[in-house]
Amino acid sequence: MSDAFTTRLIDLSTGSSETVHDLTASCEDFLRQAARGRDGLLNVFVPHATAGIAVIETGAGSDDDLLATLHTLLPADDRWQHRHGSHGHGRDHVLPGLVAPHATLPVIGGRLELGTWQSVCLVDTNKDNPHRQVRLSFLG
């Protein structure tokens, strides 16, 4: 395969609580090796039916606000037809309909082009799966 397309799978431990996990440093590390100063696109993809990728501000409460909003929109109760796993787990399978399992971002001069307060994050409400994988792919 040519160096125009490079991909890496990263493993994460998200634990047993809902989380917004910042992936920005992992994306930047990957691009230092894969992009080598070139322009292109970074695709971030989570190959799981119960997680998503968001580009949001972190550390100032927005990540907690996102989880609170998801609780309001997708309550962990018995309304869901998908009923295996922990109580209310069916909502986790609806999450990717609201927080897509992918994001494609511009890379300019080998650097991720994010706004001042933006971070690339894994959004995981599934307390039943403490291990996640994220695929980073650079197309130069």
Side-chain angles (χ1 to χ4, degrees):
M1 182 179 292
S2 84
D3 67 349
F5 180 80
T6 307
T7 189
R8 175 189 299 168
L9 196 60
I10 57 175
D11 293 304
L12 301 170
S13 178
T14 55
S16 60
S17 60
E18 298 177 358
T19 188
V20 175
H21 182 90
D22 193 338
L23 300 168
T24 309
S26 295
C27 292
E28 291 169 342
D29 178 60
F30 169 69
L31 288 171
R32 273 191 291 280
Q33 297 171 27
R36 296 184 315 277
R38 296 177 296 159
D39 294 349
L41 296 172
L42 173 68
N43 181 265
V44 183
F45 174 70
V46 56
H48 298 281
T50 58
I53 300 294
V55 179
I56 62 168
E57 178 181 9
T58 59
S62 297
D63 36 358
D64 291 331
D65 289 342
L66 175 58
L67 291 175
T69 299
L70 291 172
H71 273 279
T72 300
L73 294 173
L74 303 171
D77 58 22
D78 288 331
R79 73 183 69 204
W80 310 104
Q81 293 181 38
H82 190 104
R83 293 185 184 261
H84 75 87
S86 62
H87 180 76
H89 172 67
R91 79 184 198 109
D92 300 325
H93 288 273
V94 177
L95 172 76
L98 299 175
V99 181
H102 59 87
T104 300
L105 306 163
V107 176
I108 307 296
R111 298 188 55 126
L112 191 56
E113 283 292 302
L114 293 173
T116 302
W117 303 111
Q118 290 180 317
S119 296
V120 182
C121 299
L122 170 71
V123 180
D124 187 359
T125 59
N126 182 356
K127 297 182 271 185
D128 294 341
N129 189 352
H131 303 287
R132 296 296 186 170
Q133 293 184 320
V134 177
R135 180 169 296 281
L136 305 176
S137 300
F138 174 71
L139 178 60

